[in-house]
Amino acid sequence: MTLAALSVGQGMALAAAAGLIIGAMVNWAAYWWAWNRRHISPWSPAHPQAPPRRLADRIPLWGWVGLRRETALHGKGFWIRPIIVELLSAGGLAALYWWEVGHQGLVAKQFDALAAGGAPPGLLTAPAWITVATFASHALLLAFMAAATLIDMDEKTIPDQITVPGTLLALLLAAAAPMSLPPHVTLSATAPAAGVEIPLPPQVNAGGAKLLVEPLTLAAPSAWPAELGGAPRPLGLAIGLGCYATWCYALAPRIWRRRRGLWFGLQVLLARAARELTRGPLLWIGSAGLAAIVLVWLAGGAGWVGL
């Protein structure tokens, strides 16, 4: 049985269980990826002065009850926030599944608007695998955002361990599974560049147009322009490479020195950025990413539209 074939209740239960595990990993990241690491999560090495960790300490929710024995090391009530994080993660993902998959909250009103009174509300629906793909993408995003938020609350910083892998993973997901992007419902006389056609019931008159569910693109709500397509059209490739190259440049340290004039400051800034971009890890992130963009552009199709 696939996830898309589950009942809403089963899907919510599975989402809640996944949320507990994700919440535990968020807690680990919030303490271990911070600038000042703390030996609080049971998934990180124990504090040198802490008693030996037990297997039960790694059970979500329940494990924090046992870890109260480390209060003298981490502070009074240190275990309360991690429990709240895991509870909110479980409840939040279950609620998100209920809304996005069970009630198709991202597409239901779009369908009703396009039906223009020709069909009762709820008659038109998207295939379950589309809403499940979008839900999974949003669950992943929420996990990264939750860890970033907790670290930001603690230290007023957001580490590269979150932003860089999160961005790369999002790009990979968009290319490999374009329908994991927010869905857009439209009527069109042509086949979609990416997405699926939804059969129309007899009582809905679309004037010969097709009802389509597409991933939200930079052209939405307009149709995907042919000039942004894959090979051999160069415009889309230039935009993709330009966006990625700009992001890589933004990852490089940039120091602006004004005391010796504008030109000297610009030279120092560009030289420092060039040095960082031509050695690891930015060299590997940049070269591998640019090559991957070219490969997806050569393949074209829905993957390129998503990317």
Side-chain angles (χ1 to χ4, degrees), residues 6-7 15 54 78 87 118 122 133 144 158 164 173 179 198 218-219 225 257 280 288 292 304:
L6 297 175
S7 68
R54 301 189 292 255
F78 80 94
L87 283 173
F144 277 93
I158 298 178
V164 175
L173 189 60
M179 290 310 302
I198 306 299
L218 60 87
R257 303 186 185 277
W304 175 246

Side-chain angles (χ1 to χ4, degrees), residues 93-194:
L93 287 194
L96 184 66
Y97 187 93
W98 172 83
W99 188 70
E100 285 196 349
V101 181
H103 287 257
Q104 302 212 347
L106 290 174
V107 294
K109 289 188 177 181
Q110 296 185 63
F111 278 128
D112 294 343
L114 288 179
L123 178 64
L124 298 175
T125 59
W129 66 267
I130 290 179
T131 53
V132 168
T134 307
F135 162 78
S137 175
H138 288 168
L140 189 63
L141 171 64
L142 287 172
F144 277 93
M145 290 295 292
T149 300
L150 292 174
I151 296 175
D152 197 18
M153 289 169 57
D154 291 339
E155 299 186 336
K156 303 299 184 289
T157 63
I158 298 178
D160 287 347
Q161 292 101 312
I162 292 177
T163 55
V164 175
T167 301
L168 295 174
L169 188 58
L171 293 174
L172 176 63
L173 189 60
M179 290 310 302
S180 64
L181 296 168
H184 170 63
V185 180
T186 185
L187 287 171
S188 176
T190 60

